[in-house]
Amino acid sequence: MPGPRTGTRSRREDPVSKEEVHTSDAPAPGGAYSQAVVANGFLYTAGTGPHDPTTGAVVGDTITEQTRQVLRNLRALLAARGLDFSDVVKVTSHLADLSRDYEAYNAVYEQTLPQPYPVRTTVGSTLDRKLIEIDMVAMLRHA
């Protein structure tokens, strides 16, 4: 029987420790990296693309569809550690065609993330078979 859909490898709270965060609700890594890591009071996500978590296929043909999928995947990574977009403090977005896609991407982003918005860097990048990739940094909540 499969295990739980979300979890962590360890629960160490030592500020100098590093904890891998994994969820089957976001795409599996395509290489030697973690989906997300907790360290020093923050959760850092890997660059996340518009892939279906189950099949690994790219979802959508437009920047709007792909941005929505990327944000669904990132929402799942944050939720695996009890966080949401209100905890995000830094975003880096890579667009395959910055001049063509920025406005549509920004519209989805603006509708999805709450104010005050995190700081953000948006750049044009060469991406393999996708239009967008985003990584985030979120603050952990303290009880």
Side-chain angles (χ1 to χ4, degrees):
M1 172 175 265
R5 290 187 58 87
T6 62
T8 59
R9 188 174 287 177
S10 70
R11 292 271 179 198
R12 298 175 294 181
E13 294 299 327
D14 177 355
V16 295
S17 70
K18 182 169 71 170
E19 172 189 333
E20 179 182 28
V21 176
H22 174 77
T23 178
S24 58
D25 291 331
Y33 59 90
S34 300
Q35 288 175 310
V37 170
V38 168
N40 202 27
F42 293 91
L43 179 139
Y44 301 86
T45 74
T48 303
H51 300 90
D52 179 278
T54 303
T55 67
V58 171
V59 173
D61 296 320
T62 68
I63 191 65
T64 297
E65 295 166 318
Q66 289 195 13
T67 302
R68 286 183 181 136
Q69 183 62 41
V70 169
L71 293 173
R72 278 192 291 273
N73 293 339
L74 288 164
R75 181 181 286 125
L77 285 171
L78 294 167
R81 197 55 161 71
L83 304 173
D84 59 39
F85 288 134
S86 69
D87 300 300
V88 175
V89 295
K90 172 76 171 104
V91 174
T92 304
S93 300
H94 297 264
L95 302 179
D97 191 326
L98 186 60
S99 60
R100 179 193 68 205
D101 291 337
Y102 180 81
E103 284 187 40
Y105 144 78
N106 193 61
V108 174
Y109 180 97
E110 188 175 345
Q111 293 165 2
T112 306
L113 274 80
Q115 292 186 26
Y117 296 118
V119 297
R120 182 177 81 186
T121 302
T122 304
V123 297
S125 297
T126 301
L127 301 173
D128 186 29
R129 299 182 308 270
K130 57 190 173 190
L131 302 175
I132 185 168
E133 181 173 297
I134 300 174
D135 65 82
M136 295 181 163
V137 178
M139 294 188 325
L140 297 180
R141 296 178 184 176
H142 298 286

